Amino acid sequence: MSQVTSTNQANLHIEISGQGPDLVMLHGWGVNSAVFTPLHESLSQYRVHYVDLPGFGHSQMVEGGLSTWVDALVTALPEHAIWAGWSLGGLVATQAALSYPKKIKGLITIASSPCFMAREDEAWPGIPPQVLNQFREQLGQNLPKTIERFLAIQAMGSETAKEDIKRLRDLVLARPLPDARALNQGLSMLTDIDLRPQLTELQQPWLRIWGRLDGLVPKRVQPKMPITPQIEDVMLAKASHAPFISHQQEFLQVFMPWLALQTR
């Protein structure tokens, strides 16, 4: 399958693969777009833009926060694409769909939340604040070990956790480790960003894929999300935080028909 790498002002590394309607794939915190390698063949009938987020993989860091990341990405990517984001990538894709409604045709969020940190005062389920603080503290001490720990949490709950962690690690470590500043930016997004009040503004078709055993985005998030006719929710019964790795066939059985519907 032919692959080209796009050149853009923000020095973002974007691998373009396959032919057909445009699809953007955004990875999560601590990793890079190599995590989507197992999906390449299945997605070959789309022109897929596999993005290394700013400061991750081969991409240069972009100063600022979520909105600056989104601006840089939108400038570097084609208009009217469907954006699919996993975990932190889902937060980025959601913000892009909110900020640029005319430029983004559809939204897919995979094991993602509009507000990742648990908010006890509102009974909002998520990552306990102390876990995010621990990661922030550990970043300065041992970057590779911090990434390893995070990968282990992502596979927690999956029946194939050991193999999932190994696959994720092997794919991720094939590229440079993330910039520590970018990891801090990402942690700030996971800690501070709350897109819940804006979700009702989303007009695009939106597919949300969840893992019932997810330790980072608890299954209790889904019932608290807005429901409109253009939104579809699918809960994968045996998956945790990386369903496209642990339950690839079940994931594709949801992902592919929805894509086909939006791009026909």
Side-chain angles (χ1 to χ4, degrees):
M1 203 183 333
S2 67
Q3 281 197 341
V4 291
T5 306
S6 90
T7 49
N8 49 74
Q9 288 167 315
N11 286 326
L12 293 173
H13 180 84
I14 302 171
E15 275 179 19
I16 303 162
S17 174
Q19 296 199 319
D22 286 301
L23 170 65
V24 171
M25 298 291 288
L26 302 178
H27 62 81
W29 187 83
V31 299
N32 54 60
S33 63
V35 293
F36 296 124
T37 308
L39 301 179
H40 281 204
E41 209 173 299
S42 302
L43 295 176
S44 59
Q45 72 257 47
Y46 295 93
R47 194 163 81 115
V48 190
H49 305 259
Y50 296 99
V51 180
D52 279 355
L53 288 172
F56 293 83
H58 296 301
S59 284
Q60 295 294 308
M61 195 199 152
V62 171
E63 294 290 349
L66 183 58
S67 55
T68 25
W69 276 25
V70 165
D71 293 345
L73 288 164
V74 167
T75 307
L77 289 158
E79 293 192 6
H80 312 304
I82 288 174
W83 284 41
W86 168 50
S87 195
L88 171 64
L91 195 67
V92 177
T94 304
Q95 183 63 68
L98 285 163
S99 301
Y100 294 94
K102 300 257 187 304
K103 294 190 175 185
I104 290 167
K105 183 176 177 171
L107 175 64
I108 302 172
T109 52
I110 304 153
S112 191
S113 173
C115 174
F116 273 87
M117 196 170 80
R119 317 259 165 175
E120 281 179 20
D121 51 334
E122 305 170 50
W124 176 261
I127 307 171
Q130 61 271 26
V131 171
L132 289 169
N133 289 335
Q134 269 175 351
F135 276 114
R136 201 182 289 279
E137 282 164 24
Q138 287 162 358
L139 272 182
Q141 296 158 15
N142 188 332
L143 189 61
K145 198 172 177 192
T146 307
I147 303 277
E148 289 254 349
R149 277 198 62 232
F150 193 66
L151 292 179
I153 291 178
Q154 309 208 24
M156 225 166 45
S158 163
E159 289 168 359
T160 52
K162 261 195 176 147
E163 300 93 86
D164 298 350
I165 295 164
K166 188 180 182 314
R167 284 187 79 191
L168 278 166
R169 189 176 58 219
D170 291 350
L171 292 167
V172 167
L173 296 181
R175 290 192 187 172
L177 279 173
D179 185 309
R181 293 167 303 164
L183 285 165
N184 264 314
Q185 282 176 309
L187 275 181
S188 295
M189 292 173 202
L190 294 174
T191 306
D192 304 332
I193 298 290
D194 183 357
L195 298 181
R196 289 176 297 168
Q198 295 155 263
L199 293 181
T200 49
E201 297 165 27
L202 278 169
Q203 300 299 309
Q204 296 96 327
W206 184 8
L207 171 65
R208 305 187 296 219
I209 301 176
W210 312 88
R212 196 174 62 83
L213 307 175
D214 194 336
L216 292 168
V217 178
K219 64 180 181 188
R220 300 194 316 282
V221 171
Q222 189 257 317
K224 293 176 181 283
M225 296 284 281
I227 300 284
T228 61
Q230 89 277 14
I231 294 173
E232 188 178 336
D233 279 300
V234 178
M235 181 74 70
L236 297 179
K238 295 192 173 169
S240 59
H241 193 64
F244 58 93
I245 296 275
S246 63
H247 295 78
Q248 192 177 328
Q249 284 319 110
E250 292 95 320
F251 172 81
L252 288 168
Q253 279 164 10
V254 174
F255 194 77
M256 300 305 285
W258 190 90
L259 272 181
L261 201 62
Q262 307 309 324
T263 53
R264 64 182 181 191

